[in-house]
Amino acid sequence: MQAIVFDDFGGPEVLVPRDLPIPEVRPHDLMVRNAAIGVNRADLLHRKGAYGRAYFGDADTMGLEIAGTVVALGPQVQGFAVGDRVMGIVGGGAYAELSRIDHRMAMHVPQGLDLVEAGAVAEVFVTAHEALFHLAGLRAGESVLIHAAAGGVGSAAVQLAHAAGARVFATASGDKRDAVLGFGADVCIDYRSEDFQTVVAQATEGKGVDVVIDFVGAPYLEANVRSLAVGGRMVCVGLLGGAANASLPMDAVLYRHLKIFGTVMKSRTPEVKQAMVQRFAKQWLAALEAGTIRPVIDRRFALADAAQAHQHMESGANIGKILLLPAGTER
């Protein structure tokens, strides 16, 4: 089967297509012929060497999410059959024509959702649900500030928060404002020309927001904390701006009774990731089927063009997900 590999860490150019053996089906596995493969920022970090040559449970090749058709299954699989349309999260090995996935991290693709579009669901929506609801405990009537709202996880988080009845503040570049408002944001803040802490303070009459979902890290830490209301919760999902030289205003943390969480999916145990997938599926698969929430796709690349897909993600121009499509998949 064709897969994408790299022999040395480096830029997008290190990614090359190569024929690899089809992986063995283990007792709990589905073997899936991929129709679409999601590209994630964790893939960029993997390619650059951030995780070393770590093995995350399914393959040492890169890639975290897939959608496709089941072609074989292990003897302990329950709830799935050959021919089923599935989507889900893998511990590596997504960048290939065929991938194995533990059936406890797979979901049936809802009726009415295109199989290729389903490749843009699992990683971003599961991550967004985990941050907003499982960790931050966002409730209807509360307010939330979501950074990087035009990206994959950000666009999913805006949709979920809006569907849950929250007031949504979102940051993005001004050229992406209309898209972010279309996802369900009530207020879109241009991070290039506006100060989000000032906008939030003015819009909430100084109260602040109940929840912050952050992907930027150190440069936003102090302003994020000072944007939180009493009893507010912040979840750090990424470090796009780096981790060094962060300033944490301890007075705000102490006197406003704040909570700060960090979350990352790639290095979690299989049991934790299975629980994350199942929590999302229980609450939101019906909404996907109804079209209340939807995957947002920016561009589709052939699997062999993975290097170009990584270049596009690194440019920061994307709105929503970038997908890789194996040969033979309709683009």
Side-chain angles (χ1 to χ4, degrees), residues 52-107:
R53 291 289 181 181
Y55 179 84
F56 292 104
D58 291 315
D60 56 7
T61 51
M62 72 166 49
L64 300 175
E65 65 180 325
I66 60 170
T69 304
V70 177
V71 296
L73 41 80
Q76 296 183 33
V77 168
Q78 298 179 7
F80 295 91
V82 171
D84 283 354
R85 303 188 322 148
V86 298
M87 58 188 181
I89 294 169
V90 296
Y95 282 30
E97 292 179 305
L98 292 154
S99 298
R100 61 186 183 185
I101 178 172
D102 189 303
H103 76 279
R104 294 162 293 191
M105 286 168 56
M107 298 172 279

Side-chain angles (χ1 to χ4, degrees), residues 2 5 33 36 46 63 65 71 116 123 129 166 194-195 198 209 224 234 236 249 256 261 306 323:
Q2 185 185 65
V5 301
R33 183 169 298 281
H46 187 177
E65 65 180 325
V71 296
V116 170
E123 180 77 14
H129 171 81
E194 298 178 277
D195 178 75
T198 300
V209 293
N224 278 336
M234 184 177 81
C236 181
R256 295 188 193 177
F261 302 89
L323 296 179

Side-chain angles (χ1 to χ4, degrees), residues 87-138:
M87 58 188 181
I89 294 169
V90 296
Y95 282 30
E97 292 179 305
L98 292 154
S99 298
R100 61 186 183 185
I101 178 172
D102 189 303
H103 76 279
R104 294 162 293 191
M105 286 168 56
M107 298 172 279
H108 291 281
V109 175
Q111 292 295 320
L113 182 61
D114 180 81
L115 191 54
V116 170
E117 292 181 334
V121 170
E123 180 77 14
V124 293
F125 277 98
V126 170
T127 299
H129 171 81
E130 194 73 6
L132 285 167
F133 304 106
H134 185 66
L135 294 177
L138 182 68

Side-chain angles (χ1 to χ4, degrees), residues 13-24:
E13 69 280 357
V14 303
L15 300 179
V16 294
R18 186 173 296 162
D19 284 334
L20 294 181
I22 296 173
E24 178 184 354

Side-chain angles (χ1 to χ4, degrees), residues 294-310:
R294 67 191 192 280
V296 179
I297 299 173
D298 178 79
R299 285 187 62 182
R300 310 174 187 201
F301 293 84
L303 175 60
D305 295 331
Q308 295 178 31
H310 277 218

Side-chain angles (χ1 to χ4, degrees), residues 6-12 14-15 41-54 56 62 266 310 314:
F6 57 91
D7 295 319
D8 300 296
F9 299 124
V14 303
L15 300 179
R41 289 202 172 271
D43 303 341
L44 275 58
L45 294 172
H46 187 177
R47 188 200 74 222
K48 295 174 182 178
Y51 308 113
R53 291 289 181 181
F56 292 104
M62 72 166 49
K266 186 178 179 69
H310 277 218
E314 289 181 333

